[in-house]
């Protein structure tokens, strides 16, 4: 007999412990959990207390033991024209060698290892090697530059940094080492060692006594055996920095056991991935999707994971589909932006390849607009599954789970990621009263009841108070986690995401804090004041627009151009090109309230050509008129 998804979801909350105890059997435990969920110290939650396990064992060793020759990691780089396939046995050997290097450098359980790397196999080896020995990895996206990197080094205080000479994007070599050296100079914390993978893309200087050569150590530790360290389920597996409303990024901290169980469950029920098949996520290991669904999730499920260094349009816009064909990809994960990029090219490029292995394409990271969803659905002829989640949750919060045995599949609905996933007690609250919205089609703040399910963040690294104050205090007196997203639920229970409630923006699926960009821009000597807002963009979803009040108005259009170029360069050098504003608009004043608070929403509305709404608190109406005029100019 099949049950409805709604009943199934309800049971996941009302019989929480029994529900997750069943799921815990999906992974190997050295000692089984003694307690499923400890909620004695809300809003914290501890999952699978007393159980000991290891992520690397579950992702690699247990498959290497039974299917050593099956494909585990497929690496393709269209940037350097290389491909390499590692079986589970080979992957285990690489990870053990890397783990041996870490151990030889004195890295042990609880020590941090910062990974600043392009999409190369060694990045995955490093993550898994950390998991193997209980070290905590902190991967920093390779597109971030020295100031962003320095703040993360400072916060994580790593004993070791693993990096490479360079990455490459669309054929352009991006040297990493100068950025890393600069970041270490800026940080008060200095790592004892830097392990460098030399791809021979960009020559670099070695710091004697600090910098180690990966190739040399790899030879030295060839054949090394490093057993997995059994870790209590609530040990820390990793931290991953994400942007918030302050300039200081938050280290989202995840556990070991809950993380493994959540991913194993989602791989089966949400993604429908099977051992021996190939999973292809086009994300980057620097983002949460890369952690959950390039490295850990597919491997835990016994699938081969395809790791891709390249863009969706190089050498041509069919490259992703050629990989689907070549490696018989069954499950694919990407972002709406990538599809919008492809949409500009001929749909016939898709038909050039045999895509018969593909069962579904999952898209996440930003709102999936209907034209994009329809275009790719028509072109591929497989279900397109929108899924909504965050760095904090680690796995989808809203989507449609089509692979739960005995449970009716929820049909997809254009424009909505879907319904709350099992384990998530999702509510929509009135912004002003904090009351739950009882009627459909009302806009409210999307929140999750305590406890968050397995796999979600434990806390903010090194700052429990920030975890509590940031996420759990938005509605006084209510124990709810705020997603900081607006949502709306229709009469059938589908949730629609209507954008952020805070100053976080989403550029091509990448989450950026406007405050970080503002801090960087305001550091330019010619800038008196700056406001950065996210503005709707056809291709990237949103782009950052900087409104700058210069100390002295540029005398000529050429001078304004030059200042804009300098500001953009500054952002490139300090934060990375991902954060670069698409345009700098010079104004003589910013729209503010009489009490001096910046009217961001009004600024954003005007930039998007919308009605700025209630302006009774606006101090000087001339400010918005000027913004309007300069935007046109
Ligand atoms: P990140 O932590 O970088 O993954 O960013 C998470 C944020 O991206 C969410 O809070 C949403 O604002 C947005 N987001 C992610 N997935 C979706 C989606 N499927 N639809 C709409 N917004 C999304």
């Amino acid at each position: 007999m099949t049950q409805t998804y709604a009943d199934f979801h309800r049971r996941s909350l009302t019989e929480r412990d029994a529900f997750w105890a069943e799921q815990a059997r999906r992974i190997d435990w050295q000692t089984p959990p003694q307690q499923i969920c400890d909620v004695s110290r809300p809003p914290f939650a501890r999952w699978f207390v007393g159980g000991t396990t290891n992520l690397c064992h579950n992702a690699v060793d247990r498959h290497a033991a039974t299917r050593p020759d099956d494909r585990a990691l497929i690496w393709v780089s269209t940037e350097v024209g290389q491909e390499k396939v590692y079986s589970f046995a080979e992957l285990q050997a690489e990870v053990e060698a890397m783990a041996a290097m870490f151990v030889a450098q004195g890295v042990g359980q609880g020590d941090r290892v910062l990974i600043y790397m392009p999409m190369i196999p060694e990045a995955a080896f490093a993550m898994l090697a950390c998991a193997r020995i209980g070290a905590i990895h902190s991967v920093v996206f390779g597109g971030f530059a020295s100031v962003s990197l320095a703040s993360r080094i400072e916060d994580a205080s790593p004993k070791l940094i693993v990096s490479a000479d360079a990455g490459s994007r669309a054929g352009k070599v991006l040297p990493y080492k100068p950025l890393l050296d600069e970041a270490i100079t800026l940080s008060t914390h200095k790592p004892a060692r830097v392990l460098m993978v030399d791809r021979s893309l960009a020559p670099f200087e070695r710091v004697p006594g600090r910098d180690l050569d990966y190739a040399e150590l790899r030879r030295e530790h060839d054949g090394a055996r490093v057993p997995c360290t059994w870790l209590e389920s609530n040990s820390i597996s990793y931290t991953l920095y994400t942007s918030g409303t302050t300039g200081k990024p938050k280290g989202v901290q995840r556990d070991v056991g809950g993380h493994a169980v959540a991913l194993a469950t989602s791989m089966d029920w949400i993604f429908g991935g099977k051992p021996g098949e190939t999973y292809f996520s086009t994300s980057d290991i620097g983002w949460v999707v890369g952690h959950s669904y390039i490295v850990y999730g597919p491997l835990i499920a016994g699938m081969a994971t395809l790791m891709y260094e390249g863009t969706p349009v190089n050498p041509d816009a069919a490259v992703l589909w050629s990989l689907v064909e070549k490696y018989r990809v069954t499950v694919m994960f990407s972002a709406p932006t990538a599809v919008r990029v492809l949409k500009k090219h001929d749909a016939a490029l898709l038909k050039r390849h045999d895509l018969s292995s593909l069962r579904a394409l999952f898209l996440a990271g930003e709102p999936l607009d209907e034209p994009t969803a329809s275009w790719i659905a028509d072109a591929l002829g497989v279900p397109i599954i929108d899924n909504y989640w965050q760095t904090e949750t680690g796995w989808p919060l809203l989507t449609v789970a089509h692979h739960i045995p005995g449970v009716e599949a929820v049909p997809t609905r254009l424009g909505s990621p879907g319904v709350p996933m099992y384990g998530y007690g999702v509510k929509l609250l009135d912004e002003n009263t904090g009351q739950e919205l009882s009627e459909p089609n009302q806009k409210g703040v999307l929140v999750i009841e305590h406890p968050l399910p397995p796999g979600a963040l434990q806390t903010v690294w090194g700052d429990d108070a920030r975890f509590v104050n940031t996420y759990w205090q938005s509605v006084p007196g209510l124990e709810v986690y705020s997603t900081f997203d607006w949502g709306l639920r229709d009469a059938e229970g589908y949730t629609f995401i209507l954008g952020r409630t805070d100053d976080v923006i989403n550029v091509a699926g990448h989450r950026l804090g406007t405050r970080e960009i503002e801090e960087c821009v305001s550091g330019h000597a010619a800038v008196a004041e700056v406001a950065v807002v996210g503005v709707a963009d056809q291709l990237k979803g949103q782009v950052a627009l900087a409104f700058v009040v210069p100390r002295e108005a540029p005398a000529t259009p050429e001078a304004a151009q030059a200042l804009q170029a300098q500001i953009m360069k500054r952002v490139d050098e300090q934060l990375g090109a991902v954060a670069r504003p698409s345009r700098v608009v010079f104004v003589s004043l910013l729209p503010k309230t009489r009490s001096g608070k910046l009217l961001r929403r009004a600024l954003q509305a005007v930039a998007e050509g919308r009605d700025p709404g209630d302006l009774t608190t606006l101090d000087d109406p001339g400010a918005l008129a000027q913004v309007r005029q300069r935007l046109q100019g």
Side-chain angles (χ1 to χ4, degrees), residues 440-457:
N441 301 319
Q442 289 181 291
K443 179 177 167 182
V445 182
L446 191 78
V447 303
I448 312 169
E449 291 178 300
H450 178 75
L452 296 177
L457 82 166

Side-chain angles (χ1 to χ4, degrees), residues 242 287-289 336 363-368 386-392 398 417 483-485 497-500 504 506 509-512:
T242 189
W287 310 115
V288 70
V289 178
L363 296 173
E366 55 178 315
L368 174 59
D386 188 0
N387 54 117
Y388 158 90
W389 47 297
Q390 314 179 297
T391 306
E392 289 85 345
L398 298 172
T483 61
F484 296 102
D485 280 305
I497 299 296
L498 308 173
R500 296 282 301 193
V504 166
N506 193 318
H510 301 327
R511 175 164 154 186
L512 300 168

